């Protein structure tokens, strides 16, 4: 599966912000990329295509996003 145009760049920026310890900005960018292309929710695909560090970062952002969504309820 290929990603939607632009979502890969946005997710790359999200990962860089996450690794730089800017979680709020990372989650904003993650959400934009995810909304554009839900393939990012497929952890097996992400782990196959990207490095372990990137896959771990995306999984961590997914978990943090879910945690924040539940906290707002």
């Amino acid at each position: 599966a290929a990603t939607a145009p632009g979502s890969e760049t946005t997710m790359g920026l999200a990962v860089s912000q996450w690794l730089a310890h800017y979680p709020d900005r990372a989650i904003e960018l993650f959400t934009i990329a995810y909304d554009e292309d839900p393939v990012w929710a497929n952890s097996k695909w992400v782990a196959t295509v990207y490095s372990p560090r990137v896959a771990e970062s995306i999984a961590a952002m997914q978990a943090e996003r879910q945690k924040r969504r539940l906290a707002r309820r």
Side-chain angles (χ1 to χ4, degrees), residues 25-37:
R25 183 66 180 138
I27 298 303
E28 288 174 22
L29 290 164
F30 172 87
T31 300
I32 292 167
Y34 178 87
D35 288 349
E36 187 173 332
D37 193 342

Side-chain angles (χ1 to χ4, degrees), residues 10 17 32 52 58-59:
T10 304
Q17 293 297 295
I32 292 167
I58 291 171

Side-chain angles (χ1 to χ4, degrees), residues 18-60:
W18 184 258
L19 294 174
H21 306 286
Y22 294 107
D24 294 337
R25 183 66 180 138
I27 298 303
E28 288 174 22
L29 290 164
F30 172 87
T31 300
I32 292 167
Y34 178 87
D35 288 349
E36 187 173 332
D37 193 342
V39 73
W40 296 109
N42 183 337
S43 59
K44 288 182 181 183
W45 178 82
V46 171
T48 300
V49 177
Y50 296 97
S51 74
R53 189 167 187 194
V54 169
E56 289 166 11
S57 296
I58 291 171

